[in-house]
Amino acid sequence: VNACVDVVLSGVKLLQALGLSPGNGKDHSVLHSRNDLEETFIHFMGKGAAAERFFSDKETFHDIAQVASESPESP
């Protein structure tokens, strides 16, 4: 059971906060960049499905987590 919830935020709001805009969707088994996050999000959003992916770049992941935690929509 995975019960760890750090930040709850709309994926669309997160992409907007990161300055990313809709583009082509593509599944990435491992995320290495903001672009990979955007493509994977769009890929699965179009299917109405959820996905969990490992983010390999620690600094980029930290930057994204920081943006998410500072969002006014985040509880």
Side-chain angles (χ1 to χ4, degrees):
V1 173
N2 183 352
C4 179
V5 177
D6 296 313
V7 178
V8 177
L9 178 65
S10 158
V12 172
K13 296 284 186 189
L14 176 60
L15 291 182
Q16 290 172 340
L18 292 170
L20 301 173
S21 58
N24 295 324
K26 179 180 178 185
D27 185 13
H28 296 273
S29 58
V30 175
L31 305 178
H32 303 283
S33 66
R34 288 180 177 210
N35 186 60
D36 288 356
L37 172 64
E38 174 189 19
E39 290 177 345
T40 302
F41 177 82
I42 292 167
H43 173 79
F44 283 98
M45 184 71 147
K47 297 178 180 301
E52 278 191 27
R53 295 291 183 262
F54 176 76
F55 215 107
S56 68
D57 185 304
K58 180 180 174 181
E59 288 187 23
T60 302
F61 176 78
H62 181 271
D63 291 342
I64 292 169
Q66 187 72 32
V67 168
S69 67
E70 293 174 352
S71 172
E73 284 84 20
S74 175

